[in-house]
Amino acid sequence: MDFKLSREAFLKVLNHVSSIVDTRSTIPILSNIFIKCENNIIEIRSTDMDISIREFVSVDSSKNGEATVNSRILTDIIRKTKKNSIIKLKTEGSRLIIHSENSVFELNALSADDFPNFTLLDQSNSFNLSVEEIKRIFNKTKFAISSEETRYYLNGIYLHTIALDDQNILKAVATDGHRLAKTETLLKSKSIISGIILPRKFILQLDKILGDFEGDIKIVCTDTQVSFETENFIIISKLIDGKFPDYEKVIPLTNDKLLEIESELFFNAVDRVSTVNQDKTPTVKLAFDSNSVKIMATSTDSNKGDEEVIASYSSSPLEILFNSKYILDLRDIIESPNIKLELLNQSSPVIVKDPEDKSSIYILMPMRV
């Protein structure tokens, strides 16, 4: 194997494939990435046995071949080389030789024969979404993914399709039991997804990588795996094997107390007032009254803070206790200058809506007094 390419092109791919590598793996070859050079194209792969990535890059090559090499070391070397330089790589026996400017590196290379195979999914159930649509779905829901391992079926985003008025709607939902986020988008295809759960690690890694792509992504689903594919890039992940709860039962139907408030004023006030509470579970009390919301916080060591914010509210007075972090997690999600809350009583779930995003809804569970 002998080829050369620009530092920037190589580093971009290495950042993608190294993102899932488990450097603590007890299987040495899983700490490596696979590099194969054939006819002026290199194929670079990595896997942690749950997620696998494959990407192709054009290079100037003089000799075909393949090898695996430590992902962290190779990526760090290329990252630290001079910008806009040309990187030359070749194999000599069990060594990978890297030339850059006046630098030469030699890395131990394990046999490529022992690297796990990359197997494409059955393409029979697939649909396309733009990069912008995928990133929007992730952004609107990922903050509500649970990190509690005992309820592993909540450790991801649940996707399923419904047919509505001759249209096919993709719904995405995440919940940790204390809050819920749901958004939806129109699909151009008639693909049917009865219900799959994308794992949290896969979502977070893919979300970072998508910033380097544009246009449409092909999404392929099977009963146990999912893949996101472009012409030169494929990432495949195992799905979470579990049953997602019936989230529709959590969404209230009778919340009749309506509040609308300026988003920036509301979130900034909650942020300021909650500063006094450094407890493990920071809480704020919201007191809804005629055309105002009073935000109050106290801590176990007697710190106090309160602030009143003007709002549109004409229902009976109501006080509800919330985890302030859950409120503030919505700050980067709401697109509108205003935010709407639909309330019932101090112990019932609260519906949060963005007036400029009719396709999304958020649920916050009050804390017990």
Side-chain angles (χ1 to χ4, degrees):
M1 180 170 68
D2 193 333
F3 65 88
K4 61 182 178 181
L5 76 168
S6 71
R7 169 195 179 270
E8 279 62 37
F10 198 26
L11 182 59
K12 183 170 75 170
V13 179
L14 289 176
N15 284 336
H16 295 167
V17 298
S18 65
S19 65
I20 66 162
V21 174
D22 184 0
T23 57
R24 299 167 298 179
S25 175
T26 56
I27 305 173
I29 203 161
L30 294 185
S31 297
N32 284 15
I33 59 173
F34 171 95
I35 304 174
K36 179 179 181 179
C37 179
E38 188 172 15
N39 302 328
N40 292 320
I41 298 289
I42 59 168
E43 173 190 351
I44 304 181
R45 289 196 268 124
S46 68
T47 183
D48 65 358
M49 302 309 291
D50 289 326
I51 304 172
S52 299
I53 295 178
R54 182 175 76 176
E55 191 160 356
F56 296 96
V57 185
S58 297
V59 298
D60 181 4
S61 67
S62 58
K63 185 178 180 182
N64 295 337
E66 58 187 30
T68 77
V69 66
N70 185 276
S71 171
R72 180 182 58 80
I73 296 174
L74 177 60
T75 304
D76 282 351
I77 287 173
I78 304 305
R79 182 180 294 115
K80 294 174 182 179
T81 56
K82 187 177 179 180
K83 291 182 179 180
N84 302 314
S85 59
I86 298 298
I87 308 295
K88 299 179 182 180
L89 290 89
K90 66 177 180 178
T91 51
E92 292 182 357
S94 62
R95 310 290 285 174
L96 179 69
I97 315 299
I98 306 165
H99 290 266
S100 172
E101 295 281 326
N102 298 320
S103 301
V104 180
F105 302 90
E106 290 190 23
L107 301 183
N108 183 42
L110 297 179
S111 171
D113 295 337
D114 298 326
F115 202 81
N117 292 327
F118 190 95
T119 305
L120 294 175
L121 302 187
D122 180 345
Q123 305 283 301
S124 59
N125 191 22
S126 66
F127 58 93
N128 287 356
L129 286 177
S130 69
V131 169
E132 290 74 20
E133 287 175 309
I134 297 170
K135 289 185 72 67
R136 177 189 167 278
I137 287 171
F138 288 172
N139 184 55
K140 295 286 184 178
T141 55
K142 67 183 180 182
F143 69 93
I145 296 174
S146 174
S147 57
E148 184 182 325
E149 296 300 327
T150 54
R151 293 192 291 176
Y152 64 92
Y153 49 85
L154 299 182
N155 297 155
I157 294 176
Y158 178 66
L159 298 180
H160 70 109
T161 55
I162 63 164
L164 182 65
D165 298 330
D166 211 26
Q167 293 181 321
N168 201 22
I169 308 296
L170 176 68
K171 294 193 174 188
V173 186
T175 182
D176 59 7
H178 304 289
R179 54 190 170 167
L180 179 145
K182 177 175 79 73
T183 192
E184 57 188 48
T185 191
L186 178 65
L187 290 185
K188 297 175 183 178
S189 73
K190 296 298 182 182
S191 297
I192 297 174
I193 303 174
S194 57
I196 61 174
I197 308 173
L198 306 183
R200 182 174 184 270
K201 178 181 178 180
F202 172 70
I203 292 162
L204 297 180
Q205 296 302 330
L206 179 58
D207 199 25
K208 295 176 185 176
I209 293 170
L210 284 176
D212 290 329
F213 294 91
E214 57 185 20
D216 282 358
I217 304 286
K218 183 180 182 181
I219 301 173
V220 182
C221 303
T222 70
D223 291 338
T224 58
Q225 291 178 291
V226 66
S227 69
F228 284 61
E229 306 179 4
T230 69
E231 183 179 359
N232 295 317
F233 172 83
I234 300 176
I235 181 169
I236 298 177
S237 174
K238 291 181 180 178
L239 299 171
I240 293 177
D241 183 14
K243 182 175 176 57
F244 201 80
D246 185 356
Y247 65 88
E248 294 286 358
K249 291 183 178 180
V250 180
I251 302 175
L253 301 175
T254 58
N255 287 18
D256 57 357
K257 296 179 174 63
L258 307 179
L259 174 135
E260 186 165 353
I261 189 170
E262 187 175 330
S263 304
E264 185 175 0
L265 288 178
F266 177 60
F267 289 125
N268 287 346
V270 171
D271 196 12
R272 279 191 293 269
V273 172
S274 63
T275 304
V276 304
N277 190 337
Q278 300 296 317
D279 297 343
K280 184 178 180 180
T281 303
T283 59
V284 291
K285 180 184 288 186
L286 304 187
F288 305 94
D289 208 338
S290 179
N291 291 322
S292 73
V293 178
K294 190 172 184 180
I295 302 160
M296 299 167 281
T298 58
S299 67
T300 52
D301 51 1
S302 301
N303 295 324
K304 293 183 179 181
D306 66 75
E307 183 171 339
E308 191 166 353
V309 181
I310 296 173
S312 173
Y313 182 79
S314 58
S315 300
S316 58
L318 178 64
E319 292 187 354
I320 306 181
L321 196 66
F322 289 103
N323 184 323
S324 60
K325 180 184 181 301
Y326 294 164
I327 295 177
L328 294 175
D329 279 346
L330 293 170
R331 178 157 49 182
D332 294 330
I333 310 302
I334 302 298
E335 302 170 7
S336 170
N338 293 342
I339 184 173
K340 290 184 176 180
L341 275 66
E342 298 178 5
L343 318 159
L344 182 62
N345 54 48
Q346 67 174 4
S347 59
S348 296
V350 174
I351 299 174
V352 181
K353 292 182 177 179
D354 182 342
E356 294 188 0
D357 178 15
K358 305 296 184 182
S359 63
S360 302
I361 188 172
Y362 311 100
I363 308 297
L364 292 180
M365 290 297 299
M367 296 183 66
R368 294 180 179 177
V369 178

